[in-house]
Amino acid sequence: AESPPRHFLKKWRKHLGLSLEEVAADIGTTHATLSRVERGKLPYSQKLLEALAWRYKVSVGDLLVRDPGDPSPRKIA
């Protein structure tokens, strides 16, 4: 079996203090779908990543490679 893709989608959402329901409503998906993607049960799409990046005000790359709990030397405009 393939291992789920490594990303920080859930950590970013929690870091920002947002609920699954809140984020799902804002980006036009269901909280069930978002939950499955966060848990690696469902692959994420580019469209979903772009919507989450917009909602969280970070880059798509940040969602995939940067743990929001780690201090970062750079800021996203």
Side-chain angles (χ1 to χ4, degrees):
E2 236 181 283
S3 62
R6 182 165 156 73
H7 56 64
F8 294 98
L9 302 182
K10 185 173 187 173
K11 281 193 169 188
W12 274 105
R13 180 175 58 75
K14 295 278 194 191
H15 180 72
L16 295 168
L18 302 167
S19 70
L20 275 170
E21 292 79 5
E22 209 176 344
V23 174
D26 286 347
I27 66 168
T29 190
T30 66
H31 73 276
T33 297
L34 187 54
S35 174
R36 286 197 291 272
V37 172
E38 283 187 353
R39 290 179 288 130
K41 304 289 184 201
L42 199 65
Y44 52 75
S45 64
Q46 184 66 25
K47 184 180 172 195
L48 178 74
L49 289 178
E50 288 170 4
L52 289 172
W54 166 81
R55 179 61 182 83
Y56 300 163
K57 297 179 176 60
V58 297
S59 72
V60 168
D62 283 338
L63 294 174
L64 300 178
V65 300
R66 189 157 73 86
D67 184 329
D70 289 347
S72 172
R74 61 192 183 88
K75 278 280 178 222
I76 302 301

